[in-house]
Amino acid sequence: MHGILPLWKEAGMTSHDCVFKLRKILGTKKVGHTGTLDPAVEGVLPICVGNATRLAEYITDAGKVYEAVVSIGTATTTEDAEGEVVAQDHTHKVITREAIEQALHSLTGTIEQTPPMYSAVKVNGRKLYEYARAGQTVERPTRLVEIKELTLLEPQEVYEGEEVAFSIRIACGKGTYIRTLSVQIGEILGYPAHMKQLVRTMSGSYTQDECKTLGELQEMKEQGTVNEAIRPLETALTEYPQIAITDANRKEISNGQVLPVHPSLKESDKIVYVENNQAVAIYVVHPTKTGLMKPEKMFPKVN
């Protein structure tokens, strides 16, 4: 059993909980998730099974799409609805669509973010949430993240009230905190803010439509059809050039040898050598030997 299982993680469980339950459903220990979703968040969580666990880092680093509800008027310790209130603005607010869209536009592209104290980012070997739970604060590293698209999803021209909430769609690169993005939107609009709700609708190439819940997978197991939920591991590699193995290079690639660099590595940071539609090896430019490339991942042949 090798491949990617697009799981719909339901709210109320951790990503580790999902892996634990899936090991029982699938009858294998070789199961790994591709980046955590907070317990309160639901959404697409691709699960790597068997040989596909070698690809977990690629899916983790791939782009994501989220839909979030931003709440203007209240800030919390965790930057989401789970935390304690630390700031409130009770005034009646009138915020135009134009003002929101300008804020979203200013946060599109490469932006700086400082991870929230309640996050798994490590500082001096400890996770930030460990400092936060101990009542300690430490200097947090600011980093660059890529916001590819920010779209206001609702049609009204004016949003008003003591609390103003609106839905947005975010297409972003790895390491983006949507909680922090919600706070940044509030800062631009001039109010405290937090992320009220979050759903991940896409991770890498995997979408909500192709996901199964744990309950559905349990039913499929009882019917003997759970294998049908697992996608080929090659579906995690669609963004990279696929190069067919030839008689001339089959032995060298199968043995994981260093080879002259392939022209496709000028356009992409990885290439995938395939045979009979199965991935055999992923090659990257050699870090120290000019003009050569080396295997980054090798995959056993699966019949």
Side-chain angles (χ1 to χ4, degrees):
M1 192 179 289
H2 307 280
I4 313 295
L5 195 161
L7 178 72
W8 184 260
K9 188 193 89 66
E10 296 164 289
M13 63 177 63
T14 67
S15 300
H16 180 73
D17 290 338
C18 295
V19 169
F20 179 77
K21 292 177 184 295
L22 281 170
R23 283 175 177 155
K24 290 187 174 182
I25 291 172
L26 300 176
T28 177
K29 291 183 178 179
K30 210 169 182 185
V31 177
H33 65 72
T34 55
T36 58
L37 279 177
D38 290 340
V41 178
E42 63 177 345
V44 180
L45 181 64
I47 300 291
C48 296
V49 183
N51 291 339
T53 53
R54 299 162 189 242
L55 301 177
E57 65 194 80
Y58 295 172
I59 303 173
T60 300
D61 291 349
K64 312 286 192 295
V65 178
Y66 297 90
E67 291 186 7
V69 177
V70 180
S71 176
I72 304 295
T74 302
T76 72
T77 52
T78 55
E79 301 184 347
D80 61 15
E82 303 293 305
E84 298 177 10
V85 173
V86 292
Q88 269 187 311
D89 184 318
H90 294 291
T91 61
H92 183 84
K93 301 162 189 64
V94 179
I95 304 176
T96 65
R97 180 182 195 85
E98 181 181 10
I100 295 172
E101 289 185 335
Q102 285 179 352
L104 300 183
H105 179 73
S106 69
L107 289 167
T108 303
T110 302
I111 67 168
E112 287 189 349
Q113 280 196 329
T114 302
M117 277 300 299
Y118 282 88
S119 66
V121 173
K122 286 188 175 181
V123 174
N124 298 326
R126 291 180 66 193
K127 294 177 180 177
L128 283 174
Y129 67 71
E130 294 174 339
Y131 290 107
R133 289 171 181 170
Q136 301 171 320
T137 56
V138 293
E139 187 172 343
R140 290 168 283 163
T142 297
R143 58 189 183 185
L144 297 177
V145 297
E146 186 69 24
I147 308 296
K148 299 170 186 175
E149 178 189 333
L150 268 178
T151 306
L152 181 59
L153 295 178
E154 290 151 351
Q156 52 261 56
E157 292 297 321
V158 178
Y159 298 76
E160 61 178 306
E162 184 176 315
E163 178 199 21
V164 168
F166 49 85
S167 301
I168 59 173
R169 180 185 297 114
I170 310 103
C172 59
K174 67 175 181 177
T176 304
Y177 278 94
I178 310 302
R179 290 180 280 156
T180 302
L181 188 65
S182 300
V183 172
Q184 291 174 290
I185 292 169
E187 288 173 348
I188 293 171
L189 294 173
Y191 298 103
H194 70 277
M195 183 190 75
K196 190 173 185 178
Q197 187 177 331
L198 183 66
V199 176
R200 186 157 75 190
T201 59
M202 188 171 182
S203 179
S205 62
Y206 305 100
T207 63
Q208 181 176 354
D209 292 342
E210 57 194 313
C211 287
K212 301 291 184 184
T213 65
L214 286 170
E216 289 171 332
L217 290 166
Q218 180 62 43
E219 289 181 10
M220 293 178 75
K221 177 189 178 181
E222 292 166 4
Q223 296 164 2
T225 60
V226 72
N227 278 12
E228 295 175 10
I230 298 178
R231 307 284 309 283
L233 65 82
E234 288 77 14
T235 59
L237 301 170
T238 54
E239 66 179 290
Y240 306 117
Q242 312 280 303
I243 313 296
I245 288 177
T246 65
D247 291 338
N249 62 19
R250 180 176 292 106
K251 184 176 180 181
E252 293 172 317
I253 292 171
S254 297
N255 291 334
Q257 293 182 19
V258 171
L259 299 171
V261 70
H262 193 281
S264 294
L265 283 172
K266 293 179 181 178
E267 309 296 329
S268 176
D269 62 334
K270 306 181 201 313
I271 59 173
V272 184
Y273 277 102
V274 297
E275 187 167 37
N276 299 324
N277 297 319
Q278 288 187 5
V280 175
I282 298 171
Y283 268 74
V284 297
V285 172
H286 200 290
T288 59
K289 298 179 180 178
T290 304
L292 298 178
M293 61 180 184
K294 63 183 280 291
E296 185 174 68
K297 306 282 183 183
M298 299 288 295
F299 300 100
K301 190 171 182 179
V302 178
N303 294 323

